[in-house]
Each structure stands twice: as structure tokens, then as C-alpha cells.
Amino acid sequence: MNACKWTRFYKVSPGGNTTILLDSSQVQPRRRAEAANKLMNNLSLGGEQVGFIGWPGSEGAGEYPSLSMMGGEFCVNALRAYAAVLAFEAGQETWRGRIASSGIDGGINAYVTGSGENVDAAIEVPVGKGCAIRPLPGGDSKETCQGAIVELPGITHIVLPGNPEYEVSSFEMDRDLIRSAENWRHAPGLSESPAVGCIWFYLKKDQLSMQPLVWVKETNSSCFETSCGSGALALAIYLGAACSQKSCGVANDPVVEGVYSPPYASYTNFYRIMQPSGQPLWVSYSAAANALPESAWLGGPCEIVARGEVNI
């Protein structure tokens, strides 16, 4: 890159999925992909993704604080990260607001509770208008729980049953999954998506877990994410709409009051999905049998790990 430029940043861990947030007014759009690739490198800040944030009341700001992802995609965890930052800046342990995001129209409801290392951040994702589930190419549409393509606003996920032998990460597993994801990414209708994820899921009696691998078109980067919010949302919608499973992974799990609004108990579907980071994400929504929800809440732990200025 050219001249040294110090830019305000936050580094946030929304259940893993380390996210770097940069002040959008300090990075020109044409330089964002380059800046993102540099900052994600472990020789710089290190992270899995980069978002560019517009502060409320700043010059050129819209109705809501805004988040633009490095590839123009929609990212649930980055929105949760920004919500936690907004709550921190406001000095509020309970914060509600709306955030505009790339990849989706209108504002997104967000809710944050807690402080320090004990912060939960949740967002409500409008699903109905921008979501669709279709069979995998070559698959049998009559077969349930055999995988599907789940289209969400701003990102598409390929949901696949995982191989039980691959529940523990290994070099061989990573190599095989990367090759598999590259093949799936060329499926019909996916070439124009700003981001494509492969979500391998593992469903046992009392535990639901997943392994996400996400590719972003603008930066041509693939990442085994330690947590994937939109992937968890896609998995929960798939399990409810395609497999008629109303809840998964919730046995003996205490409810964290205040994370969801309205409270999760009012929903018909509730899922606790363990992420590779070892932390859970909760997805809750209401929907008729074999139907898509109009919206869904997704929440979980979110920690601000660093803030300051970085040279881009």
C-alpha cells in the first residue's frame, strides 16, 4: 500500500469468528479489499473478516449506523460485533438499536446485554423475502436431511451432513473439505453470490455442531471460520423447514434471559449450535411446519478484545 495511514479499529470476537471493524470514512471503497487482506494476515492484526463501519451522526451517515463487509456480503457475526461496539461506546449494559448492513435492505434490529467479557449480542434477521431452500444439484428433493442450498440475503450457504470421522480437525480433513467446497461453489446459481459458505453439520442426541468454510468473492479468500452466524442461521432454517426438527441441542441448557426480544420461549423453533470455537450460537424463530420464517433472532457471546489505531 502507499502512504502510512493510521485508522481507527476494533477487534471483536463474536463467539470466535474474529472480526476487525474499521472506520469507513478513513478507507476509500476502492482500497477496502486490499486493506482487508492486509489486516487479516497474522503479521498485522490477524482476523477472519473485516467490516467497515459508519458511525451515527458522522458526515454522510444514513438513518442508522452502518456496516459494509469487505466483499459487500451480509454477515450476522459482524453485525453482532458492531452492536457490541455501539453498546460499549454508549456506555450501556443493555442496548437496543438498528444497524444498516451491506447485502440487505433496511435496518436490522440488534440487542446487547452485559459488560466486559460477559456480553451477549443478538440481531433479528429478516428472512422471508430473501431466503430460499433448494435441493443440491443431482440430489433427490424427496430426501430430507441430506443437505440443501440455503439462500439468505447477501450470502448463500451449502448445508451438508458432516462425516462423523471429521469431527476433530486435521490436515487431511481441512484438505478434503477445501476441495469439496471448491467443487460445490461452482454449482449452478452460485457464481454471482458475493459470498458462499459450506456448512457441514453434526447432529447427535443432545448436541448440534457445525464446521463452516466461507469464501468471499471480492477478496477471493476462503476461511475456516471459528464461528459463522449466517451459517448457523442457514442450518437452523434448513433443519426446521426441510427436516421438521423444531429444536436441537437444547437439552440441559439454561436460558440466558435478555438475549432475545421477545423472549425465546415465544418461538416455535429453537436451536443451540456449537461452533468450532467451542462457544454456542442460539437461533430462534417461529414458522409453520415446512415453511420459512419471516425473521429469526441469532445471538451468543461477543467480546471486544482490542481497540485503537492500525496502520493500513
Side-chain angles (χ1 to χ4, degrees):
M1 303 186 77
N2 298 323
C4 171
K5 182 175 182 180
W6 293 95
T7 302
R8 183 181 182 185
F9 83 93
Y10 282 87
K11 185 174 181 179
V12 187
S13 176
N17 197 200
T18 309
T19 303
I20 300 166
L21 299 176
L22 296 176
D23 189 330
S24 62
S25 67
Q26 295 183 290
V27 187
Q28 297 177 4
R30 62 182 176 82
R31 300 183 60 197
R32 290 180 182 177
E34 183 183 4
N37 279 323
K38 175 183 177 180
L39 296 182
M40 286 189 296
N41 192 296
N42 286 334
L43 294 178
S44 183
L45 290 179
E48 296 180 3
Q49 59 188 6
V50 176
F52 300 86
I53 55 179
W55 296 96
S58 61
E59 184 177 352
E63 183 179 0
Y64 308 117
S66 62
L67 168 71
S68 296
M69 292 305 294
M70 58 190 188
E73 74 275 20
F74 173 70
C75 180
V76 171
N77 272 337
L79 277 164
R80 295 199 309 115
Y82 189 25
V85 167
L86 288 167
F88 173 82
E89 289 290 343
Q92 299 176 3
E93 293 190 8
T94 299
W95 179 90
R96 297 175 186 268
R98 289 175 68 83
I99 304 173
S101 170
S102 58
I104 195 167
D105 295 329
I108 300 294
N109 288 324
Y111 182 56
V112 180
T113 182
S115 62
E117 296 181 359
N118 300 310
V119 171
D120 282 283
I123 66 166
E124 184 182 24
V125 183
V127 174
K129 294 182 179 179
C131 180
I133 299 179
R134 53 191 172 95
L136 295 173
D140 186 345
S141 60
K142 297 181 180 179
E143 292 290 332
T144 59
C145 292
Q146 297 301 309
I149 294 175
V150 181
E151 298 176 358
L152 295 174
I155 190 168
T156 299
H157 285 291
I158 304 161
V159 178
L160 300 161
N163 185 338
E165 297 179 0
Y166 283 171
E167 286 191 87
V168 178
S169 181
S170 66
F171 173 79
E172 290 78 12
M173 178 191 103
D174 291 351
R175 181 187 59 193
D176 290 348
L177 294 187
I178 290 172
R179 184 183 300 115
S180 176
E182 289 176 346
N183 291 334
W184 281 115
R185 204 168 64 233
H186 293 95
L190 297 185
S191 60
E192 297 305 315
S193 179
V196 178
C198 275
I199 307 297
W200 291 272
F201 70 94
Y202 308 89
L203 179 58
K204 293 184 177 181
K205 182 179 179 181
D206 294 329
Q207 180 171 316
L208 174 63
S209 60
M210 55 179 264
Q211 172 65 65
L213 175 60
V214 177
W215 171 79
V216 176
K217 182 177 181 179
E218 178 68 20
T219 56
N220 193 28
S221 59
S222 294
C223 180
F224 279 108
E225 295 189 342
T226 53
S227 175
C228 182
S230 61
L233 177 60
L235 174 55
I237 291 173
Y238 164 73
L239 289 172
C243 303
S244 300
Q245 298 194 41
K246 290 289 187 179
S247 63
C248 292
V250 298
N252 301 317
D253 184 51
V255 178
V256 181
E257 293 185 3
V259 174
Y260 300 101
S261 178
Y264 93 93
S266 66
Y267 292 105
T268 61
N269 295 57
F270 186 73
Y271 307 86
R272 180 182 186 269
I273 307 174
M274 291 301 298
Q275 303 297 297
S277 65
Q279 296 181 321
L281 290 177
W282 293 272
V283 182
S284 54
Y285 61 83
S286 287
N290 301 317
L292 299 177
E294 293 185 2
S295 66
W297 278 90
L298 185 145
C302 191
E303 180 185 2
I304 299 173
V305 297
R307 62 189 178 106
E309 290 187 324
V310 62
N311 176 18
I312 63 168

